[in-house]
Amino acid sequence: MWLYNVAATPIEPELQIEDPPPFLNSAEFVKENLEPFDAWSPVEVTWDFGEETVATIFLSERLIAKLTAGASPGWSSLVTKDGSLAQKM
């Protein structure tokens, strides 16, 4: 699951089959770049174990991602459209 780019957002996709992940999401998909997380970043993960297991990820009380069991990829509030690294939330 892509959360954010840890380096400058590339204009062109860098996803290559022969390259190992992680990959940077290209500008075509990125709505917003975040500063990289550190040990003091206010990150919270909440879990819902109802009919479907759902993890929601918050940064500074802002929802940035959602994961469900078996979903690939998960959902991000930081992308403009669905792609191979994240779906639009």
Side-chain angles (χ1 to χ4, degrees):
M1 169 68 204
W2 176 87
L3 290 179
Y4 64 95
N5 288 336
V6 295
T9 298
I11 300 300
E12 297 294 323
E14 66 172 24
L15 182 63
Q16 302 293 325
I17 300 302
E18 61 275 357
D19 292 339
F23 304 105
L24 296 174
N25 218 349
S26 64
E28 173 184 2
F29 297 94
V30 176
K31 175 170 52 175
E32 177 184 352
N33 286 303
L34 296 179
E35 291 296 317
F37 297 8
D38 61 27
W40 297 273
S41 296
V43 177
E44 179 183 355
V45 179
T46 62
W47 293 89
D48 179 355
F49 296 103
E51 193 171 303
E52 177 179 51
T53 300
V54 178
T56 50
I57 302 168
F58 298 85
L59 177 64
S60 299
E61 299 181 4
R62 176 182 170 196
L63 177 62
I64 61 167
K66 179 178 92 168
L67 304 169
T68 61
S72 181
W75 294 263
S76 172
S77 65
L78 303 175
V79 297
T80 57
K81 63 182 182 177
D82 293 349
S84 60
L85 300 179
Q87 298 179 68
K88 182 178 177 184
M89 192 178 320

